[in-house]
């Protein structure tokens, strides 16, 4: 299997596994799901180093979401 | 024409987005909304991946035959010198190899000013000009300008040609050190290896020459198939 499809397959397995695990843990906060997805995408992208046909705006968007959610959590803890 | 990946990716992302929106307003179930978002993310990721229009086996055999052709030319002229990969104005790469071992190394300007013919001259030194096996692959439309050099190398060497598992790159001034993990295809062509380096390092030199827009030569190759370390010099 080509590396790019291995990347998609790994992403699919990890994302759906994390949905199952978070559901079993009774997590209802969407932010947690999004943070996990963003983390998984960024890590897998760095691992597989898959070539893209255009600028990877998805990675940027997920990174911004990840930073925003984590920042909100930290502010809530500190304030 | 849209590629299969982009059509499939777009369908996934639209379905995922609609599924997430529907569940957000109707059920407000976090696992269902996140399932929709996951499908959407996978769809977008799939649409960003280029289609491979040629099988890796076909590409490998084409590279091999090109390599054997070059090997025959090098054998005919009994050339034992190392090649310098030079990028051309039309985004192509040519390799110049001096025919005789000359005590006066040709200047780098002579490589850029050399006439574009098989038998050429680098200043006063007679040389041959060769189109390396990957000179056209580096013009692949699927290579975006935003990608880093390491990503380009990984795409062409590991994904497109499937010659090794991964490529790592370290830049030290004018020197580039490449680490190829698990070489999968190493055709026998002793003269080619002596002059132009192994197939994967020759392809890497072409990619580097194109992306850096500078001449490059292979100065060291440890020959290890599991962890092949190749040193290149930029001019």
């Amino acid at each position: 299997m080509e590396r790019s499809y291995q990347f998609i397959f790994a992403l699919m397995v990890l994302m759906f596994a994390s949905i199952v695990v978070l559901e079993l843990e009774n997590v209802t906060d969407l932010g947690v799901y999004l943070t996990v997805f963003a983390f998984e995408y960024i890590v897998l992208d760095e691992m597989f180093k898959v070539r893209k046909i255009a600028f990877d705006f998805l990675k940027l968007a997920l990174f911004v979401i990840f930073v925003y959610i984590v920042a909100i959590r930290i502010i809530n803890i500190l304030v | 024409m849209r590629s299969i990946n982009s059509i499939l990716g777009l369908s996934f992302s639209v379905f995922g987005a609609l599924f997430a929106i529907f569940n957000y307003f109707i059920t407000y179930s976090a696992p269902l909304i996140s399932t929709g978002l996951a499908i959407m993310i996978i769809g977008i990721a799939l649409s960003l991946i280029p289609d491979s229009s040629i099988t890796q086996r076909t590409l490998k055999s084409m590279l091999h035959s090109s390599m054997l052709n070059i090997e025959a030319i090098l054998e005919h002229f009994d050339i034992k010198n190392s090649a310098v990969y030079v990028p051309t104005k039309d985004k192509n790469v040519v390799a110049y190899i001096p025919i005789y071992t000359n005590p006066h190394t040709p200047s780098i300007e002579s490589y850029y000013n050399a006439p574009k013919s098989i038998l050429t001259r680098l200043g006063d030194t007679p040389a041959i000009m060769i189109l390396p096996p990957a000179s056209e692959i580096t013009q692949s439309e699927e290579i975006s300008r935003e990608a880093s050099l390491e990503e380009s190398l990984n795409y062409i060497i590991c994904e497109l040609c499937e010659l090794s598992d991964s490529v790592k790159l370290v830049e030290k001034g004018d020197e580039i050190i490449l680490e190829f993990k698990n070489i999968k295809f190493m055709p026998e062509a002793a003269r080619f290896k002596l002059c132009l380096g192994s197939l994967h390092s020759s392809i890497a030199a072409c990619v580097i020459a194109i992306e850096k827009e500078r001449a490059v030569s292979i100065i060291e190759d440890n020959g290890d198939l599991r962890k092949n370390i190749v040193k290149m010099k930029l001019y």
Side-chain angles (χ1 to χ4, degrees), chain A residues 16-28:
Chain A
F16 288 108
S18 49
I19 291 171
V20 173
V21 171
L22 291 172
E23 166 66 359
L24 289 174
E25 291 293 319
N26 289 323
V27 177
T28 51

Side-chain angles (χ1 to χ4, degrees), chain B residues 74-94:
Chain B
L74 296 173
E75 284 282 354
H76 178 79
F77 288 100
D78 193 26
I79 297 170
K80 289 170 186 159
N81 297 312
S82 296
V84 174
Y85 294 83
V86 182
T88 60
K89 284 172 191 163
D90 50 346
K91 280 259 169 193
N92 214 330
V93 180
V94 289

Side-chain angles (χ1 to χ4, degrees), chain B residues 45-103:
Chain B
L46 190 63
S47 65
L48 286 171
I49 286 170
D51 274 340
S52 53
S53 49
I54 186 166
T55 64
Q56 285 155 339
R57 202 176 160 186
T58 315
L59 194 61
K60 266 185 207 172
S61 58
M62 283 162 75
L63 287 171
H64 192 197
S65 59
S66 162
M67 200 176 168
L68 293 175
N69 269 328
I70 295 168
E71 171 88 355
I73 296 169
L74 296 173
E75 284 282 354
H76 178 79
F77 288 100
D78 193 26
I79 297 170
K80 289 170 186 159
N81 297 312
S82 296
V84 174
Y85 294 83
V86 182
T88 60
K89 284 172 191 163
D90 50 346
K91 280 259 169 193
N92 214 330
V93 180
V94 289
Y96 290 104
I97 316 168
I99 295 176
Y100 308 114
T101 309
N102 196 328

Side-chain angles (χ1 to χ4, degrees), chain A residues 11 14-42 62-63 65-66 69-70 73, chain B residues 20 24 28-39 41:
Chain A
L11 188 68
L14 264 182
M15 278 184 167
F16 288 108
S18 49
I19 291 171
V20 173
V21 171
L22 291 172
E23 166 66 359
L24 289 174
E25 291 293 319
N26 289 323
V27 177
T28 51
D29 189 351
L30 258 181
V32 177
Y33 286 90
L34 274 173
T35 314
V36 171
F37 290 165
F39 182 75
E40 285 167 352
Y41 184 88
I42 293 163
L62 287 172
F63 180 71
I65 291 167
F66 178 80
I69 293 168
V70 171
R73 289 291 153 97
Chain B
Y24 184 81
Y28 202 79
S29 156
L32 288 175
I33 301 167
S34 57
T35 304
L37 291 174
I39 295 169
I41 291 168

Side-chain angles (χ1 to χ4, degrees), chain B residues 93-113:
Chain B
V93 180
V94 289
Y96 290 104
I97 316 168
I99 295 176
Y100 308 114
T101 309
N102 196 328
H104 304 289
T105 320
S107 66
I108 198 63
E109 287 78 28
S110 65
Y111 284 94
Y112 286 101
N113 300 328

Side-chain angles (χ1 to χ4, degrees), chain A residues 2-5 23 49 51 53, chain B residues 31 48 52 143 147 152 165:
Chain A
E2 275 182 41
R3 269 160 69 102
S4 46
Y5 296 113
E23 166 66 359
K49 291 196 183 298
R51 210 71 169 71
I53 49 172
Chain B
L48 286 171
S52 53
I143 297 167
S152 303
D165 278 350

